[in-house]
Amino acid sequence: MREREIIFIRYRKGLRAGCLEEDLGAKVKVAVEKSRSFTVPRENIVLATGRIAATQGELDRFLREVGERAAEVDLRDVWELVKEESTALSFRDLAELCVPQQPSEIDYAAVLWHLHSDACLFFEPREESFAALAPDDVEARRGRQARQQAEALEEEGFLAWLEGKSPAPAPADFTARQRDWLARLRGFVIEGDESPLAGKAKALIAPVISAGSDVRRILLRKLVERGIFEEHEHLECLRLEVPVEFSGAAAAEAAAFDPLGPEVLEGRVDLRELPVFSVDDATTADIDDAFSLVRADAGWSLGIHITDLAEAVLSGSALDETAQQRVCSLYFPERKIPMLPPALSERSGSLQEGEDRVAISLIVDLDPELRPVESRFVRSIIRSRHRLTYDQVNAILGGESHALSEPLGVLDRLAASLLEGRLAAGAPQIDRPDLEIRFGEEGSIEIEVKQRDTPADRLVAELMILYNVVAARLCRDLSLPAIYRTQPAVSGTPPDDALHPVLRRHLLLKAAAPTDLSLVPAPHRMLGVEIYSQFSSPLRRAIDLVLQRQLAHHLRSGRPLYAAEEITMILHHAEERLKELRRLEPDRVRYWLLKHLEGSIHKTLHGVLLEPGDRQALVELLEYPIRASLQGGSDGRPGDLLELRLAHVDAWSGTIRVRRA
């Protein structure tokens, strides 16, 4: 054999072809591709063709010719001739019986290639020879080959559909196998490499999407074009299997609830004469809290009213199962996924203006200096007189005349006093603006940065904290099993108040320990309260709903509804699901902001340096409350103000990079 001679070898129970690269005596080194070779024993050589391939191109051309001839090989007549014989034949014997004239080396190679291919119906390898198959085995192979050919045609049609080529089947006309392939591709797009079928999905689409590209992203685009996904499909919701539709049973229970039914109203205190009002965003439909404040003999009477769902969502009902499964409502810029059906969460269970609704009301007696004197929870019936927005409340507190001007002014002072008390107890003040994202005509994205440290925001926040603290304290004092939210104090020395507010917030959040859910009451240091739980959003959070049922049952009967063991089970399920869901809302806001910024590359922005670095640094933009990577790094000091330009934005990966202007 000569160097670069084309040879065929046995390799890992198969047949490979390549060029002799080096004769090592007992072994040979064979080059099978431009930059790939391996060493095998000399006895593994099956055929030396005598052909020299000086280049990879010459080897490829030779093998193409062999493959074309192998596809034309038909050994049926030879099989008919020898099928009764028990003696196995070599590939050379079979080639000489198959080819009319004296076979050439390429004929020998073609027959050898055919015998090792799936197309061979009549013979099977026996060590270094080939034996004729029995007729039944031939029929079995023919059936298998027919199935493989049918699958190949199905795959060809499926990939033609994926590429948008015509003719191609529509998904409605897919075979069972094609539907399975589509499910495999959907799973890979949704879960990425975590999908158990990711490898098979990549292998399936390898003919149309090269392995070196961003396969998952390109596949998503193709499936969007084919109508399988929406253009801005929320893949993380699909990955976490967030339910969107409600079961028929849950929807029926929600529609059937009558907030004014006699069994619902029994034993309630009628508070409909109070000037109750709610404060929410203009678009909010699921209103679960409202307030009232009236003069009393010795000061003021404060009412914090939370919609009562205890009779609407009974323990063990379809609605209860729905709430436990969903855990919370999810609010995304493009849609809302409510925990409970809209018939309940936006209508009969929502504290709508002018409508009679049932509530669990906290009544707090305040002295003339607005210090709490006494408090009590009552099952009540209320009617909201005013549906206010945060902007309206801020305008009223700024001097705009309104029927609620006096009570809102008093509540503003009360909120300031409550906040001052929490800050004195060690609560850090962290004000982080919100991004409000709206969609204009033709899909345009409109961004508004809303400050959440306004008087209206403070008023609502402090009254909600007060309600939850008093409810948690009641459960502790009466030994009612409950779920408490706890958090230790910020570790280390708190950041200096003189730091830039953005840097100070970053340091505080970085140093803060995560909140914990526990059946054991303990302080919530970040809020500056000695005990805390969440009862105030039963429309939106399953834990609040469960705790409200516990409180409502106690108010009716003097006994708890749930034992500690039942609360523990509810806690463990909710805690695990909340960990999965907690990033959905902020990540979706980030996605839409980045989509908005993708069209603003090179735009000048300003930022605060949070973490310096040699090659990369972390900054937070001032125009938008979002963090970005600073290319080239910075050796400045944390808190430095920087003028920046957008360098790269990619909503798909969630990355944003800036550079110095």
Side-chain angles (χ1 to χ4, degrees):
M1 292 186 295
R2 295 172 293 167
E3 184 178 351
R4 298 297 300 175
E5 181 176 348
I6 300 173
I7 61 176
F8 289 79
I9 60 173
R10 290 190 302 275
Y11 184 73
R12 293 183 178 176
K13 299 183 180 181
L15 187 71
R16 296 296 298 266
C19 292
L20 179 65
E21 192 172 77
E22 188 176 358
D23 191 335
L24 303 173
K27 294 184 178 182
V28 291
K29 187 175 183 182
V30 184
V32 294
E33 294 172 2
K34 187 175 182 179
S35 57
R36 186 182 178 198
S37 61
F38 41 74
T39 302
V40 298
R42 176 178 288 275
E43 58 264 26
N44 282 26
I45 299 174
V46 181
L47 172 64
T49 65
R51 295 281 292 268
I52 303 298
T55 65
Q56 182 67 36
E58 291 180 14
L59 173 62
D60 293 340
R61 283 191 292 274
F62 177 82
L63 293 179
R64 276 197 300 272
E65 185 178 356
V66 169
E68 291 167 0
R69 291 208 192 179
E72 298 171 356
V73 170
D74 186 353
L75 295 177
R76 181 180 181 84
D77 290 342
V78 176
W79 175 74
E80 292 284 359
L81 182 65
V82 303
K83 65 181 180 181
E84 302 299 334
E85 298 181 11
S86 59
T87 304
L89 301 173
S90 71
F91 75 90
R92 289 185 179 275
D93 295 333
L94 293 171
E96 289 164 4
L97 290 171
C98 177
V99 179
Q101 69 278 8
Q102 176 61 35
S104 66
E105 289 304 312
I106 200 167
D107 290 324
Y108 285 122
V111 171
L112 178 63
W113 198 263
H114 174 82
L115 288 165
H116 281 86
S117 72
D118 291 336
C120 182
L121 295 176
F122 303 102
F123 294 89
E124 66 177 356
R126 292 278 179 84
E127 296 181 354
E128 297 182 6
S129 302
F130 297 87
L133 288 169
D136 288 346
D137 293 333
V138 169
E139 288 306 310
R141 280 200 177 188
R142 182 175 280 116
R144 184 167 64 249
Q145 187 181 87
R147 290 192 296 273
Q148 290 171 344
Q149 290 172 345
E151 182 173 345
L153 287 174
E154 287 182 79
E155 183 174 330
E156 182 180 339
F158 181 78
L159 294 178
W161 166 81
L162 184 62
E163 288 286 272
K165 295 178 179 178
S166 183
D173 301 322
F174 277 177
T175 65
R177 187 180 288 114
Q178 288 171 330
R179 290 194 296 271
D180 180 66
W181 289 337
L182 179 55
R184 186 182 303 175
L185 297 190
R186 285 188 81 257
F188 173 56
V189 167
I190 292 168
E191 299 182 61
D193 288 332
E194 294 180 5
S195 168
L197 298 176
K200 291 184 177 181
K202 291 178 183 178
L204 175 64
I205 59 178
V208 296
I209 302 178
S210 61
S213 57
D214 190 341
V215 176
R216 183 173 171 231
R217 187 171 189 170
I218 296 172
L219 177 59
L220 171 62
R221 186 170 66 245
K222 289 182 180 294
L223 292 179
V224 167
E225 293 169 355
R226 303 282 76 78
I228 302 303
F229 289 113
E230 299 290 335
E231 181 180 359
H232 299 288
E233 192 74 58
H234 198 167
L235 297 177
E236 194 64 6
C237 267
L238 297 177
R239 186 184 73 82
L240 294 174
E241 299 180 340
V242 174
V244 176
E245 303 300 326
F246 290 95
S247 69
E253 287 181 5
F257 175 63
D258 180 7
L260 302 180
E263 70 284 358
V264 177
L265 297 180
E266 183 182 356
R268 292 189 180 272
V269 178
D270 191 343
L271 300 180
R272 284 175 288 187
E273 80 284 355
L274 293 177
V276 174
F277 64 93
S278 63
V279 183
D280 279 286
D281 289 320
T283 58
T284 299
D286 44 351
I287 303 172
D288 44 19
D289 54 79
F291 314 101
S292 61
L293 185 73
V294 294
R295 289 185 178 275
D297 293 339
W300 299 87
S301 178
L302 165 66
I304 306 175
H305 314 280
I306 304 299
T307 184
D308 184 358
L309 300 184
E311 273 91 9
V313 186
L314 299 175
S315 180
S317 66
L319 279 175
D320 186 37
E321 292 177 4
T322 296
Q324 299 308 317
Q325 178 189 22
R326 297 187 176 216
V327 176
C328 62
S329 295
L330 295 168
Y331 299 85
F332 306 121
E334 72 273 30
R335 65 170 175 171
K336 174 178 72 175
I337 303 178
M339 182 180 76
L340 297 169
L344 179 63
S345 61
E346 297 182 4
R347 292 190 283 280
S348 60
S350 177
L351 303 183
Q352 300 289 345
E353 183 179 26
E355 300 291 339
D356 289 351
R357 293 290 184 262
V358 291
I360 302 293
S361 298
L362 171 62
I363 307 300
V364 183
D365 297 330
L366 304 171
D367 69 15
E369 285 71 42
L370 305 182
R371 292 187 296 256
V373 176
E374 188 177 351
S375 63
R376 59 199 175 277
F377 285 98
V378 296
R379 298 171 61 248
S380 64
I381 177 171
I382 64 170
R383 179 185 300 156
S384 177
R385 308 280 184 88
H386 304 276
R387 186 194 191 287
L388 302 179
T389 66
Y390 286 94
D391 290 341
Q392 287 176 313
V393 171
N394 285 325
I396 295 168
L397 293 176
E400 186 177 291
S401 178
H402 192 278
L404 294 174
S405 293
E406 182 185 30
L408 282 173
V410 175
L411 289 176
D412 182 45
R413 297 199 305 275
L414 172 63
S417 175
L418 292 171
L419 174 60
E420 183 180 354
R422 292 195 302 106
L423 294 176
Q429 190 160 8
I430 303 175
D431 298 319
R432 186 176 180 86
D434 283 346
L435 275 177
E436 186 171 297
I437 298 176
R438 296 183 295 272
F439 301 96
E441 297 180 0
E442 300 179 359
S444 63
I445 303 171
E446 301 171 1
I447 306 291
E448 180 183 358
V449 179
K450 300 196 74 171
Q451 301 300 322
R452 285 304 187 188
D453 57 353
T454 69
D457 290 285
R458 180 182 64 191
L459 186 153
V460 173
E462 292 303 324
L463 294 183
M464 290 297 94
I465 292 172
L466 176 61
Y467 187 99
N468 289 324
V469 167
V470 175
R473 191 182 296 141
L474 176 70
C475 290
R476 179 197 61 192
D477 294 346
L478 296 178
S479 299
L480 292 177
I483 299 172
Y484 300 95
R485 293 185 70 88
T486 69
Q487 190 173 26
V490 172
S491 59
T493 304
D496 192 333
D497 289 344
L499 294 175
H500 192 285
V502 170
L503 175 61
R504 183 175 182 276
R505 180 177 65 230
H506 169 69
L507 295 175
L508 278 171
L509 294 176
K510 189 175 180 180
T515 57
D516 188 28
L517 298 176
S518 172
L519 269 68
V520 180
H524 194 304
R525 298 298 187 190
M526 291 292 283
L527 287 178
V529 294
E530 92 282 2
I531 192 171
Y532 192 72
S533 191
Q534 286 186 316
F535 291 75
S536 56
S537 292
L539 286 175
R540 311 178 191 196
R541 294 191 296 249
I543 287 179
D544 297 45
L545 176 60
V546 167
L547 293 183
Q548 185 187 70
R549 278 203 298 254
Q550 183 83 311
L551 177 58
H553 192 270
H554 167 76
L555 294 175
R556 281 197 308 270
S557 67
R559 301 187 308 275
L561 176 64
Y562 297 105
E565 294 77 12
E566 295 171 288
I567 291 287
T568 300
M569 292 178 59
I570 293 170
L571 168 62
H572 287 164
H573 167 74
E575 196 169 27
E576 289 303 311
R577 189 57 171 165
L578 286 171
K579 287 179 182 178
E580 294 177 330
L581 300 178
R582 63 178 179 174
R583 290 300 314 170
L584 280 180
E585 291 173 335
D587 285 353
R588 195 58 175 172
V589 169
R590 182 181 180 91
Y591 171 84
W592 285 112
L593 174 59
L594 295 189
K595 289 301 294 185
H596 173 70
L597 292 177
E598 280 180 345
S600 303
I601 297 299
H602 307 308
K603 179 179 180 179
T604 300
L605 296 167
H606 302 84
V608 176
L609 181 62
L610 301 179
E611 296 178 6
D614 293 336
R615 297 184 178 180
Q616 297 282 343
L618 183 65
V619 299
E620 181 166 323
L621 304 182
L622 293 178
E623 287 82 359
Y624 310 100
I626 189 172
R627 294 173 185 175
S629 175
L630 175 59
Q631 292 180 341
S634 172
D635 58 359
R637 299 177 59 187
D640 285 353
L641 298 178
L642 305 175
E643 187 172 350
L644 308 164
R645 290 191 190 278
L646 275 179
H648 171 80
V649 182
D650 181 23
W652 162 260
S653 62
T655 56
I656 175 172
R657 294 194 293 270
V658 295
R659 56 182 174 82
R660 298 292 289 266

PDB file of all heavy atoms in Angstrom, residues 527-549:
ATOM      1  N   LEU A 527     -38.399  45.732  57.317  1.00  0.00           N
ATOM      2  CA  LEU A 527     -39.584  46.574  57.473  1.00  0.00           C
ATOM      3  C   LEU A 527     -39.582  47.316  58.810  1.00  0.00           C
ATOM      4  O   LEU A 527     -40.383  48.233  59.006  1.00  0.00           O
ATOM      5  CB  LEU A 527     -40.858  45.725  57.373  1.00  0.00           C
ATOM      6  CG  LEU A 527     -41.229  45.208  55.980  1.00  0.00           C
ATOM      7  CD1 LEU A 527     -42.482  44.345  56.058  1.00  0.00           C
ATOM      8  CD2 LEU A 527     -41.442  46.358  55.007  1.00  0.00           C
ATOM      9  N   GLY A 528     -38.721  46.896  59.712  1.00  0.00           N
ATOM     10  CA  GLY A 528     -38.672  47.562  61.013  1.00  0.00           C
ATOM     11  C   GLY A 528     -39.860  47.238  61.896  1.00  0.00           C
ATOM     12  O   GLY A 528     -40.325  48.094  62.655  1.00  0.00           O
ATOM     13  N   VAL A 529     -40.364  45.986  61.822  1.00  0.00           N
ATOM     14  CA  VAL A 529     -41.494  45.583  62.653  1.00  0.00           C
ATOM     15  C   VAL A 529     -41.121  44.303  63.388  1.00  0.00           C
ATOM     16  O   VAL A 529     -40.321  43.499  62.911  1.00  0.00           O
ATOM     17  CB  VAL A 529     -42.775  45.372  61.809  1.00  0.00           C
ATOM     18  CG1 VAL A 529     -43.241  46.700  61.223  1.00  0.00           C
ATOM     19  CG2 VAL A 529     -42.550  44.361  60.694  1.00  0.00           C
ATOM     20  N   GLU A 530     -41.752  44.106  64.564  1.00  0.00           N
ATOM     21  CA  GLU A 530     -41.372  42.955  65.390  1.00  0.00           C
ATOM     22  C   GLU A 530     -42.036  41.671  64.913  1.00  0.00           C
ATOM     23  O   GLU A 530     -41.627  40.571  65.296  1.00  0.00           O
ATOM     24  CB  GLU A 530     -41.729  43.241  66.859  1.00  0.00           C
ATOM     25  CG  GLU A 530     -43.108  42.788  67.331  1.00  0.00           C
ATOM     26  CD  GLU A 530     -44.246  43.730  66.881  1.00  0.00           C
ATOM     27  OE1 GLU A 530     -43.968  44.710  66.168  1.00  0.00           O
ATOM     28  OE2 GLU A 530     -45.401  43.480  67.284  1.00  0.00           O
ATOM     29  N   ILE A 531     -43.050  41.786  64.042  1.00  0.00           N
ATOM     30  CA  ILE A 531     -43.756  40.609  63.534  1.00  0.00           C
ATOM     31  C   ILE A 531     -44.478  41.024  62.268  1.00  0.00           C
ATOM     32  O   ILE A 531     -44.918  42.174  62.128  1.00  0.00           O
ATOM     33  CB  ILE A 531     -44.751  40.077  64.602  1.00  0.00           C
ATOM     34  CG1 ILE A 531     -45.272  38.701  64.203  1.00  0.00           C
ATOM     35  CG2 ILE A 531     -45.878  41.054  64.848  1.00  0.00           C
ATOM     36  CD1 ILE A 531     -46.072  38.024  65.306  1.00  0.00           C
ATOM     37  N   TYR A 532     -44.563  40.076  61.316  1.00  0.00           N
ATOM     38  CA  TYR A 532     -45.195  40.460  60.050  1.00  0.00           C
ATOM     39  C   TYR A 532     -45.734  39.215  59.361  1.00  0.00           C
ATOM     40  O   TYR A 532     -45.141  38.138  59.396  1.00  0.00           O
ATOM     41  CB  TYR A 532     -44.189  41.145  59.118  1.00  0.00           C
ATOM     42  CG  TYR A 532     -44.829  41.807  57.922  1.00  0.00           C
ATOM     43  CD1 TYR A 532     -45.570  42.980  58.071  1.00  0.00           C
ATOM     44  CD2 TYR A 532     -44.709  41.266  56.649  1.00  0.00           C
ATOM     45  CE1 TYR A 532     -46.159  43.597  56.991  1.00  0.00           C
ATOM     46  CE2 TYR A 532     -45.301  41.879  55.557  1.00  0.00           C
ATOM     47  CZ  TYR A 532     -46.019  43.038  55.734  1.00  0.00           C
ATOM     48  OH  TYR A 532     -46.613  43.660  54.651  1.00  0.00           O
ATOM     49  N   SER A 533     -46.878  39.390  58.733  1.00  0.00           N
ATOM     50  CA  SER A 533     -47.462  38.359  57.894  1.00  0.00           C
ATOM     51  C   SER A 533     -48.194  39.066  56.771  1.00  0.00           C
ATOM     52  O   SER A 533     -48.228  40.301  56.719  1.00  0.00           O
ATOM     53  CB  SER A 533     -48.420  37.480  58.714  1.00  0.00           C
ATOM     54  OG  SER A 533     -48.774  36.336  57.969  1.00  0.00           O
ATOM     55  N   GLN A 534     -48.775  38.322  55.850  1.00  0.00           N
ATOM     56  CA  GLN A 534     -49.466  38.950  54.729  1.00  0.00           C
ATOM     57  C   GLN A 534     -50.892  38.426  54.642  1.00  0.00           C
ATOM     58  O   GLN A 534     -51.122  37.268  54.306  1.00  0.00           O
ATOM     59  CB  GLN A 534     -48.714  38.699  53.415  1.00  0.00           C
ATOM     60  CG  GLN A 534     -47.439  39.530  53.300  1.00  0.00           C
ATOM     61  CD  GLN A 534     -46.770  39.396  51.951  1.00  0.00           C
ATOM     62  OE1 GLN A 534     -46.657  38.299  51.424  1.00  0.00           O
ATOM     63  NE2 GLN A 534     -46.313  40.500  51.402  1.00  0.00           N
ATOM     64  N   PHE A 535     -51.824  39.321  54.963  1.00  0.00           N
ATOM     65  CA  PHE A 535     -53.261  39.044  54.900  1.00  0.00           C
ATOM     66  C   PHE A 535     -53.948  39.932  53.871  1.00  0.00           C
ATOM     67  O   PHE A 535     -55.120  39.733  53.593  1.00  0.00           O
ATOM     68  CB  PHE A 535     -53.918  39.325  56.260  1.00  0.00           C
ATOM     69  CG  PHE A 535     -53.555  38.370  57.364  1.00  0.00           C
ATOM     70  CD1 PHE A 535     -52.313  38.434  57.974  1.00  0.00           C
ATOM     71  CD2 PHE A 535     -54.459  37.423  57.806  1.00  0.00           C
ATOM     72  CE1 PHE A 535     -51.982  37.571  59.009  1.00  0.00           C
ATOM     73  CE2 PHE A 535     -54.132  36.556  58.835  1.00  0.00           C
ATOM     74  CZ  PHE A 535     -52.897  36.627  59.441  1.00  0.00           C
ATOM     75  N   SER A 536     -53.253  40.926  53.328  1.00  0.00           N
ATOM     76  CA  SER A 536     -53.908  42.061  52.679  1.00  0.00           C
ATOM     77  C   SER A 536     -54.193  41.903  51.196  1.00  0.00           C
ATOM     78  O   SER A 536     -54.811  42.788  50.605  1.00  0.00           O
ATOM     79  CB  SER A 536     -53.064  43.327  52.893  1.00  0.00           C
ATOM     80  OG  SER A 536     -51.740  43.133  52.421  1.00  0.00           O
ATOM     81  N   SER A 537     -53.786  40.791  50.574  1.00  0.00           N
ATOM     82  CA  SER A 537     -54.044  40.636  49.131  1.00  0.00           C
ATOM     83  C   SER A 537     -54.615  39.255  48.816  1.00  0.00           C
ATOM     84  O   SER A 537     -54.019  38.478  48.070  1.00  0.00           O
ATOM     85  CB  SER A 537     -52.751  40.871  48.335  1.00  0.00           C
ATOM     86  OG  SER A 537     -52.344  42.208  48.406  1.00  0.00           O
ATOM     87  N   PRO A 538     -55.791  38.935  49.340  1.00  0.00           N
ATOM     88  CA  PRO A 538     -56.347  37.596  49.098  1.00  0.00           C
ATOM     89  C   PRO A 538     -56.756  37.362  47.643  1.00  0.00           C
ATOM     90  O   PRO A 538     -56.902  36.212  47.231  1.00  0.00           O
ATOM     91  CB  PRO A 538     -57.556  37.536  50.032  1.00  0.00           C
ATOM     92  CG  PRO A 538     -57.948  38.970  50.227  1.00  0.00           C
ATOM     93  CD  PRO A 538     -56.669  39.744  50.224  1.00  0.00           C
ATOM     94  N   LEU A 539     -56.971  38.437  46.877  1.00  0.00           N
ATOM     95  CA  LEU A 539     -57.282  38.265  45.460  1.00  0.00           C
ATOM     96  C   LEU A 539     -56.057  37.868  44.652  1.00  0.00           C
ATOM     97  O   LEU A 539     -56.188  37.300  43.570  1.00  0.00           O
ATOM     98  CB  LEU A 539     -57.857  39.563  44.873  1.00  0.00           C
ATOM     99  CG  LEU A 539     -59.286  39.942  45.249  1.00  0.00           C
ATOM    100  CD1 LEU A 539     -59.624  41.307  44.671  1.00  0.00           C
ATOM    101  CD2 LEU A 539     -60.280  38.902  44.754  1.00  0.00           C
ATOM    102  N   ARG A 540     -54.875  38.172  45.168  1.00  0.00           N
ATOM    103  CA  ARG A 540     -53.659  38.069  44.366  1.00  0.00           C
ATOM    104  C   ARG A 540     -52.648  37.054  44.890  1.00  0.00           C
ATOM    105  O   ARG A 540     -51.750  36.664  44.151  1.00  0.00           O
ATOM    106  CB  ARG A 540     -52.974  39.438  44.295  1.00  0.00           C
ATOM    107  CG  ARG A 540     -53.899  40.566  43.917  1.00  0.00           C
ATOM    108  CD  ARG A 540     -53.185  41.886  43.909  1.00  0.00           C
ATOM    109  NE  ARG A 540     -54.114  43.005  43.809  1.00  0.00           N
ATOM    110  CZ  ARG A 540     -53.775  44.232  43.486  1.00  0.00           C
ATOM    111  NH1 ARG A 540     -52.513  44.503  43.220  1.00  0.00           N
ATOM    112  NH2 ARG A 540     -54.674  45.198  43.430  1.00  0.00           N
ATOM    113  N   ARG A 541     -52.744  36.674  46.159  1.00  0.00           N
ATOM    114  CA  ARG A 541     -51.743  35.767  46.732  1.00  0.00           C
ATOM    115  C   ARG A 541     -52.443  34.665  47.515  1.00  0.00           C
ATOM    116  O   ARG A 541     -53.296  34.929  48.365  1.00  0.00           O
ATOM    117  CB  ARG A 541     -50.775  36.533  47.647  1.00  0.00           C
ATOM    118  CG  ARG A 541     -49.892  37.533  46.939  1.00  0.00           C
ATOM    119  CD  ARG A 541     -48.793  38.054  47.860  1.00  0.00           C
ATOM    120  NE  ARG A 541     -49.308  38.798  48.979  1.00  0.00           N
ATOM    121  CZ  ARG A 541     -49.165  40.124  49.144  1.00  0.00           C
ATOM    122  NH1 ARG A 541     -48.537  40.836  48.224  1.00  0.00           N
ATOM    123  NH2 ARG A 541     -49.642  40.713  50.218  1.00  0.00           N
ATOM    124  N   ALA A 542     -52.041  33.420  47.240  1.00  0.00           N
ATOM    125  CA  ALA A 542     -52.692  32.276  47.875  1.00  0.00           C
ATOM    126  C   ALA A 542     -52.436  32.241  49.376  1.00  0.00           C
ATOM    127  O   ALA A 542     -53.318  31.848  50.154  1.00  0.00           O
ATOM    128  CB  ALA A 542     -52.209  30.980  47.225  1.00  0.00           C
ATOM    129  N   ILE A 543     -51.221  32.620  49.801  1.00  0.00           N
ATOM    130  CA  ILE A 543     -50.936  32.622  51.242  1.00  0.00           C
ATOM    131  C   ILE A 543     -51.846  33.602  51.960  1.00  0.00           C
ATOM    132  O   ILE A 543     -52.395  33.306  53.030  1.00  0.00           O
ATOM    133  CB  ILE A 543     -49.448  32.947  51.489  1.00  0.00           C
ATOM    134  CG1 ILE A 543     -48.581  31.747  51.088  1.00  0.00           C
ATOM    135  CG2 ILE A 543     -49.204  33.309  52.950  1.00  0.00           C
ATOM    136  CD1 ILE A 543     -47.096  31.969  51.277  1.00  0.00           C
ATOM    137  N   ASP A 544     -52.050  34.782  51.393  1.00  0.00           N
ATOM    138  CA  ASP A 544     -52.958  35.764  51.995  1.00  0.00           C
ATOM    139  C   ASP A 544     -54.370  35.206  52.093  1.00  0.00           C
ATOM    140  O   ASP A 544     -55.073  35.412  53.088  1.00  0.00           O
ATOM    141  CB  ASP A 544     -52.985  37.047  51.158  1.00  0.00           C
ATOM    142  CG  ASP A 544     -51.643  37.749  51.111  1.00  0.00           C
ATOM    143  OD1 ASP A 544     -50.629  37.069  50.909  1.00  0.00           O
ATOM    144  OD2 ASP A 544     -51.596  38.985  51.259  1.00  0.00           O
ATOM    145  N   LEU A 545     -54.783  34.493  51.052  1.00  0.00           N
ATOM    146  CA  LEU A 545     -56.128  33.915  51.032  1.00  0.00           C
ATOM    147  C   LEU A 545     -56.286  32.882  52.149  1.00  0.00           C
ATOM    148  O   LEU A 545     -57.297  32.870  52.865  1.00  0.00           O
ATOM    149  CB  LEU A 545     -56.380  33.275  49.670  1.00  0.00           C
ATOM    150  CG  LEU A 545     -57.697  32.526  49.470  1.00  0.00           C
ATOM    151  CD1 LEU A 545     -58.876  33.455  49.674  1.00  0.00           C
ATOM    152  CD2 LEU A 545     -57.742  31.899  48.085  1.00  0.00           C
ATOM    153  N   VAL A 546     -55.297  32.017  52.322  1.00  0.00           N
ATOM    154  CA  VAL A 546     -55.349  31.001  53.372  1.00  0.00           C
ATOM    155  C   VAL A 546     -55.373  31.657  54.749  1.00  0.00           C
ATOM    156  O   VAL A 546     -56.170  31.278  55.627  1.00  0.00           O
ATOM    157  CB  VAL A 546     -54.147  30.046  53.247  1.00  0.00           C
ATOM    158  CG1 VAL A 546     -54.001  29.182  54.494  1.00  0.00           C
ATOM    159  CG2 VAL A 546     -54.293  29.170  52.010  1.00  0.00           C
ATOM    160  N   LEU A 547     -54.508  32.650  54.947  1.00  0.00           N
ATOM    161  CA  LEU A 547     -54.455  33.309  56.258  1.00  0.00           C
ATOM    162  C   LEU A 547     -55.737  34.090  56.531  1.00  0.00           C
ATOM    163  O   LEU A 547     -56.188  34.165  57.687  1.00  0.00           O
ATOM    164  CB  LEU A 547     -53.239  34.228  56.325  1.00  0.00           C
ATOM    165  CG  LEU A 547     -51.888  33.513  56.300  1.00  0.00           C
ATOM    166  CD1 LEU A 547     -50.752  34.510  56.435  1.00  0.00           C
ATOM    167  CD2 LEU A 547     -51.795  32.464  57.408  1.00  0.00           C
ATOM    168  N   GLN A 548     -56.336  34.661  55.473  1.00  0.00           N
ATOM    169  CA  GLN A 548     -57.602  35.361  55.695  1.00  0.00           C
ATOM    170  C   GLN A 548     -58.686  34.378  56.124  1.00  0.00           C
ATOM    171  O   GLN A 548     -59.503  34.679  57.004  1.00  0.00           O
ATOM    172  CB  GLN A 548     -58.046  36.102  54.432  1.00  0.00           C
ATOM    173  CG  GLN A 548     -59.301  36.944  54.693  1.00  0.00           C
ATOM    174  CD  GLN A 548     -59.860  37.558  53.430  1.00  0.00           C
ATOM    175  OE1 GLN A 548     -60.390  36.861  52.582  1.00  0.00           O
ATOM    176  NE2 GLN A 548     -59.742  38.869  53.314  1.00  0.00           N
ATOM    177  N   ARG A 549     -58.703  33.185  55.510  1.00  0.00           N
ATOM    178  CA  ARG A 549     -59.690  32.178  55.929  1.00  0.00           C
ATOM    179  C   ARG A 549     -59.473  31.785  57.393  1.00  0.00           C
ATOM    180  O   ARG A 549     -60.433  31.568  58.134  1.00  0.00           O
ATOM    181  CB  ARG A 549     -59.585  30.944  55.029  1.00  0.00           C
ATOM    182  CG  ARG A 549     -60.321  31.074  53.715  1.00  0.00           C
ATOM    183  CD  ARG A 549     -60.672  29.712  53.137  1.00  0.00           C
ATOM    184  NE  ARG A 549     -59.505  28.933  52.835  1.00  0.00           N
ATOM    185  CZ  ARG A 549     -59.044  28.704  51.596  1.00  0.00           C
ATOM    186  NH1 ARG A 549     -59.649  29.241  50.558  1.00  0.00           N
ATOM    187  NH2 ARG A 549     -57.978  27.970  51.409  1.00  0.00           N
TER     188      ARG A 549
END
